[in-house]
């Protein structure tokens, strides 16, 4: 799945794929029904009201969401993995070096393609304290500055658990058409839950980062 065109196929099947999340039993906390459904007061309700003769204006239809990871998808983290090879890893240095990340051309191109007909939401395991630096970096690369969801500074859950919870919140009120992530553990869990996931494979995923994400839950 290294070709950005794969995303179009995944996004196009979102209505069929995202609904399978209902089978996991983990979506009981959703308030809006199945992924892709309209919440109360949304476009479907407005259309029904107009049809009933009350004359309310039609609410513009919301674009589906493309939920994109940052590190390993659009940001090349290889130059700062050295900070995690020691035990314990130096997480402050790891995140402090993030503004120097080179962009990953494949990921940047994919995001621009998805942004044509999706609303981009950034979902990263980076800590909240690095929000300003992350926001600035995205802007410097010319990437869409959509919603940026980050891990709370005191959150030590594995990345896959954190991102699963965030996706459930997003899916409760909006259609999630595609999720792009490079972490195999994240991808496997989200696919098992029924989310339409594209794995970013244009940068080799290092065990150093994977082990840190699972055991320390910091990124």
């Amino acid at each position: 799945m290294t070709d950005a065109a794969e995303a179009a196929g995944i996004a196009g099947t979102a209505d069929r794929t995202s609904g399978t999340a209902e089978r996991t039993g983990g979506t009981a906390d959703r308030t809006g029904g199945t992924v892709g459904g309209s919440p109360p007061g949304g476009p479907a309700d407005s259309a029904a009201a107009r049809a009933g003769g009350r004359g309310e204006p039609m609410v513009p239809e919301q674009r589906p969401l493309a939920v994109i990871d940052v590190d390993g998808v659009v940001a090349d983290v290889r130059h700062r993995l050295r900070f995690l090879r020691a035990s314990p890893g130096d997480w402050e240095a790891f995140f402090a070096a993030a503004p120097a990340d080179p962009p990953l051309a494949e990921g940047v191109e994919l995001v621009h393609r998805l942004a044509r007909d999706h609303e981009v939401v950034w979902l990263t395991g980076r800590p909240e304290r690095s929000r300003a630096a992350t926001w600035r970096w995205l802007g410097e690369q010319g990437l869409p500055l959509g919603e940026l969801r980050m891990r709370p500074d005191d959150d030590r859950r594995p990345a896959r658990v954190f991102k699963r919870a965030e996706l459930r919140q997003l899916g409760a009120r909006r259609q999630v058409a595609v999720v792009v992530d490079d972490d195999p553990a994240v991808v496997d869990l989200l696919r098992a839950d029924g989310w339409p996931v594209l794995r970013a494979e244009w940068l080799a995923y290092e065990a150093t980062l994977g082990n840190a994400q699972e055991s320390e839950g910091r990124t």
Side-chain angles (χ1 to χ4, degrees):
M1 289 190 190
T2 58
D3 192 338
E6 292 289 339
I10 290 180
T13 59
D15 287 336
R16 299 192 301 273
T17 307
S18 59
T20 62
E22 294 289 327
R23 299 198 300 270
T24 66
T27 54
D29 58 340
R30 297 189 184 184
T31 59
T34 60
V35 175
S38 297
D45 283 355
S46 295
R50 259 191 1 157
R54 296 205 297 271
E56 286 87 344
M58 177 69 77
V59 176
E61 190 171 333
Q62 293 177 314
R63 297 194 300 169
L65 301 181
V67 182
I68 316 291
D69 186 20
V70 177
D71 292 340
V73 176
V74 294
D76 188 343
V77 303
R78 288 176 293 185
H79 70 103
R80 49 190 172 105
L81 287 177
R82 67 184 187 276
F83 296 117
L84 303 183
R85 294 193 175 110
S87 184
D90 188 345
W91 287 97
E92 290 303 320
F94 177 76
F95 290 122
D101 289 353
L104 292 168
E106 296 90 337
V108 170
E109 179 185 359
L110 172 61
V111 171
H112 283 304
R113 289 188 184 189
L114 288 172
R116 294 171 188 168
D117 49 12
H118 297 76
E119 180 179 331
V120 172
V121 173
W122 300 100
L123 175 57
T124 174
R126 292 185 184 188
E128 180 65 35
R129 63 183 178 276
S130 61
R131 175 175 293 275
T134 301
W135 192 260
R136 185 165 52 251
W137 186 91
L138 292 170
E140 290 171 351
Q141 311 312 317
L143 288 161
L145 297 179
E147 182 180 359
L148 176 58
R149 299 175 78 98
M150 310 187 76
R151 184 198 300 271
D153 287 336
D154 59 352
D155 191 332
R156 294 295 182 265
R157 289 174 294 170
R160 57 192 169 86
V161 176
F162 163 70
K163 290 185 177 181
R164 170 194 249 175
E166 293 296 306
L167 268 177
R168 286 175 176 173
Q169 290 183 17
L170 286 168
R173 53 188 173 85
R174 297 286 297 276
Q175 177 191 348
V176 176
V178 61
V179 182
V180 185
D181 205 289
D182 70 314
D183 183 342
V186 171
V187 170
D188 288 348
L189 181 66
L190 297 183
R191 281 179 177 168
D193 280 358
W195 297 101
V197 184
L198 170 68
R199 182 180 171 194
E201 296 181 301
W202 37 86
L203 182 64
Y205 190 80
E206 288 201 26
T208 298
L209 183 57
N211 293 337
Q213 287 177 321
E214 289 302 305
S215 62
E216 299 185 41
R218 303 252 178 126
T219 182

